[in-house]
Amino acid sequence: MRAAVFDSGVGGLTVVKSLIDHNFFDEIIYFGDTARVPYGIKDKNTIVRYSLEALEFFKNFDPDILITACNSVSAHALKELRESASFPVVGVIEPGVIAAQKRLEKGDRILVIGTRATISSGQYQRLLRHQGFTNLISLPTPLFVPLVEEGILKGRIVEATMDHYFNGIEPDAIILGCTHFPLLSEALKGYFGEQTLLIHSGEAICDYLEQELGITPGRGTPELKLFASESPERLKEVASRWLSSDR
Amino acid sequence: MRAAVFDSGVGGLTVVKSLIDHNFFDEIIYFGDTARVPYGIKDKNTIVRYSLEALEFFKNFDPDILITACNSVSAHALKELRESASFPVVGVIEPGVIAAQKRLEKGDRILVIGTRATISSGQYQRLLRHQGFTNLISLPTPLFVPLVEEGILKGRIVEATMDHYFNGIEPDAIILGCTHFPLLSEALKGYFGEQTLLIHSGEAICDYLEQELGITPGRGTPELKLFASESPERLKEVASRWLSSDR
């Protein structure tokens, strides 16, 4: 099976890492729109337009499935991508909500964090409420994206930024609604305590592929092809760091 | 006279404010490439490509001059813009260096801050060295851009970020090599002390227009036309706040 993975930049490699760890696919075609990153500060029309352009790119590879690793794309362009694709298109939001449903009680306090575009779409909130969760806080935390991009994953800036966003919030679980945020897992656990459950798009989508779509894991290591709209060498460099770290 | 002002997003309005305050032009056509902002994390080829696309847009308005408010554009695409334009194209880097030359001694410690793209171009450093300045520190300070975009202009995050970048540096002057940074002037003065001279692209370009190009100030208030590649209403909202503050 050949999977296409679309992201606004390099962040979607956190999802690719999960896909590789589970060996779902024989081949993964990754495209990061690095020339126009970030999407999370842009509006719906722009995100839809860029996503449909990426779809045209992927069609050349005849994939069996398209996974939108980027939460901002999943929040705003999934319907349009599905209307234009002849293969299944899977976002990361529904899998994240299903993961919450399996691991949390309805009364648990859930904090959803993401880009401005993702949070303003209201998609996580709507789906979580539909599943009966009532104790929700959703927060755009846009500064986390450049912090991760700069490799600043702990220390005073991160702590001050968490205080800025999270003052007084005590969640039972956090949905990491942006591909960059798993890299802040340690800092978030340090801030909220080890007991706080973190829901990670990469892990959530792997469960979804297996349990909802019946795709079986455990093939050989997939062949990974990396494309970017600028600086593909930077994407490859990040991939070699992120994907190899604990393999 | 009709001026075209190009920026990657809304930040260039800090330059427009100076142009309006001096009443250099009868008409200002502003284009912010908000659908692809920020440029400062992108590579030279991408910045050149986007700049030449913006130039095509401006040609329809038959401007007398094009001002690239964005330092990343000024650093990477000025030559290409000049080759393709039939009107003068002025960047913000040479004016910034001329302002330094007029206001500083050769031995003064100058700190140049900007985006990764601007600093890695080495343009400020090369021109300053050419003018005889030897005591230079240049630093990419990319986190300042999203901080300003988020309206976080003081407080713990800003202080921690300044400590992160500036630990141990004691400059006599700072060149604010990004349109966003004038909004951090107060925080920078607080951090480095009131005696630290801040050189602002908007002010520097006004001196340049008058003294180097012989454009006389003091016309009536210019007519301002605002264009953006997405969310023009957001650009107009920011303009109404930034441009009216002390007029």
Side-chain angles (χ1 to χ4, degrees):
Chain A
M1 277 187 92
R2 180 183 297 132
V5 177
F6 174 43
D7 190 59
S8 58
V10 303
L13 292 171
T14 59
V15 170
V16 168
K17 177 151 176 51
S18 300
L19 295 175
I20 291 177
D21 286 346
H22 291 76
N23 291 326
F24 277 114
F25 302 107
D26 304 301
E27 194 178 349
I28 296 174
I29 315 287
Y30 183 95
F31 172 64
D33 193 5
T34 49
R36 303 191 288 200
V37 74
Y39 284 10
I41 56 171
K42 288 163 190 150
D43 72 18
K44 183 182 177 68
N45 290 341
T46 303
I47 295 169
V48 168
R49 180 157 59 88
Y50 292 171
S51 299
L52 293 176
E53 288 172 17
L55 179 63
E56 289 309 307
F57 172 83
F58 284 125
K59 281 180 179 172
N60 297 311
F61 296 91
D62 197 18
D64 297 297
I65 188 168
L66 167 59
I67 296 167
T68 61
C70 176
N71 279 267
S72 302
V73 171
S74 303
H76 288 286
L78 212 56
K79 181 169 154 279
E80 290 79 0
L81 284 169
R82 284 178 174 157
E83 283 167 3
S84 300
S86 56
F87 38 81
V89 181
V90 179
V92 286
I93 294 180
E94 197 191 345
V97 171
I98 291 175
Q101 203 186 343
K102 286 185 179 151
R103 298 167 71 185
L104 295 169
E105 304 293 325
K106 299 302 181 206
D108 284 346
R109 287 157 301 181
I110 303 179
L111 170 62
V112 183
I113 56 177
T115 63
R116 211 168 279 291
T118 297
I119 298 303
S120 74
S121 77
Q123 294 279 37
Y124 273 113
Q125 301 93 305
R126 195 176 53 76
L127 288 176
L128 286 165
R129 257 186 232 107
H130 189 71
Q131 295 301 330
F133 292 103
T134 51
N135 213 336
L136 304 179
I137 299 177
S138 57
L139 271 185
T141 55
L143 288 174
F144 287 165
V145 179
L147 284 173
V148 171
E149 291 277 340
E150 291 302 306
I152 300 172
L153 307 179
K154 59 182 180 183
R156 273 181 60 217
I157 307 179
V158 173
E159 283 158 27
T161 307
M162 290 190 178
D163 274 340
H164 173 75
Y165 287 133
F166 300 143
N167 195 10
I169 300 177
E170 293 181 0
D172 298 303
I174 305 174
I175 295 184
L176 307 175
C178 172
T179 54
H180 287 72
F181 296 176
L183 290 151
L184 290 169
S185 293
E186 212 169 301
L188 287 164
K189 289 267 189 185
Y191 189 86
F192 288 111
E194 279 297 325
Q195 78 292 348
T196 309
L197 181 74
L198 303 183
I199 293 178
H200 173 320
S201 296
E203 293 307 307
I205 208 158
C206 285
D207 288 347
Y208 184 89
L209 293 175
E210 189 170 357
Q211 291 163 21
E212 309 291 325
L213 299 188
I215 300 174
T216 49
R219 296 160 199 247
T221 303
E223 188 182 355
L224 178 61
K225 290 182 178 154
L226 297 169
F227 297 90
S229 51
E230 76 154 39
S231 306
E233 68 291 349
R234 180 168 174 250
L235 177 66
K236 285 171 188 168
E237 185 269 316
V238 174
S240 74
R241 274 190 292 127
W242 288 10
L243 302 183
S244 66
S245 57
D246 42 336
R247 287 172 75 199
Chain B
M1 278 188 90
R2 181 183 297 131
V5 177
F6 173 42
D7 190 59
S8 57
V10 303
L13 291 171
T14 59
V15 171
V16 168
K17 174 150 178 51
S18 299
L19 295 175
I20 290 177
D21 285 347
H22 291 76
N23 290 328
F24 277 114
F25 302 106
D26 304 301
E27 191 178 352
I28 296 175
I29 314 286
Y30 183 94
F31 172 65
D33 192 5
T34 48
R36 304 192 288 199
V37 73
Y39 284 8
I41 56 169
K42 287 162 193 153
D43 71 17
K44 183 183 177 68
N45 291 341
T46 303
I47 295 169
V48 169
R49 180 157 58 88
Y50 293 172
S51 299
L52 293 177
E53 288 172 17
L55 178 63
E56 288 310 306
F57 171 83
F58 284 124
K59 281 179 180 173
N60 297 311
F61 295 91
D62 198 19
D64 297 296
I65 188 170
L66 168 59
I67 295 167
T68 60
C70 176
N71 279 267
S72 303
V73 170
S74 303
H76 288 287
L78 211 56
K79 181 169 154 281
E80 291 78 359
L81 284 169
R82 284 177 174 158
E83 282 167 5
S84 300
S86 57
F87 36 82
V89 181
V90 180
V92 286
I93 294 181
E94 196 190 346
V97 170
I98 291 175
Q101 202 186 343
K102 288 187 179 149
R103 299 168 71 185
L104 294 170
E105 304 294 326
K106 299 300 181 205
D108 284 346
R109 288 156 301 180
I110 304 179
L111 170 62
V112 183
I113 56 177
T115 64
R116 210 168 280 290
T118 296
I119 299 301
S120 73
S121 78
Q123 295 279 38
Y124 273 113
Q125 301 95 305
R126 194 175 55 74
L127 288 176
L128 286 165
R129 258 187 232 104
H130 189 73
Q131 295 301 331
F133 292 103
T134 51
N135 213 338
L136 305 178
I137 299 176
S138 57
L139 271 185
T141 55
L143 288 175
F144 287 166
V145 179
L147 284 173
V148 171
E149 290 277 340
E150 292 302 306
I152 299 172
L153 307 179
K154 60 183 181 181
R156 274 181 62 217
I157 306 179
V158 173
E159 284 158 27
T161 306
M162 290 192 176
D163 274 340
H164 173 75
Y165 288 132
F166 300 142
N167 194 12
I169 300 176
E170 292 180 1
D172 298 304
I174 305 174
I175 295 187
L176 306 175
C178 173
T179 52
H180 287 71
F181 296 176
L183 290 152
L184 290 168
S185 293
E186 212 170 300
L188 287 164
K189 289 266 189 187
Y191 189 87
F192 288 111
E194 279 297 326
Q195 78 291 349
T196 309
L197 181 74
L198 303 183
I199 293 179
H200 174 320
S201 296
E203 292 309 307
I205 208 156
C206 286
D207 287 348
Y208 184 90
L209 292 175
E210 187 167 2
Q211 292 161 22
E212 310 291 326
L213 300 189
I215 301 175
T216 49
R219 297 161 197 247
T221 303
E223 188 182 355
L224 178 61
K225 289 181 178 156
L226 297 168
F227 297 89
S229 51
E230 76 152 42
S231 306
E233 67 291 349
R234 185 176 168 245
L235 176 66
K236 285 171 188 168
E237 184 270 317
V238 175
S240 74
R241 273 189 291 129
W242 289 9
L243 302 183
S244 65
S245 56
D246 40 336
R247 287 174 76 199

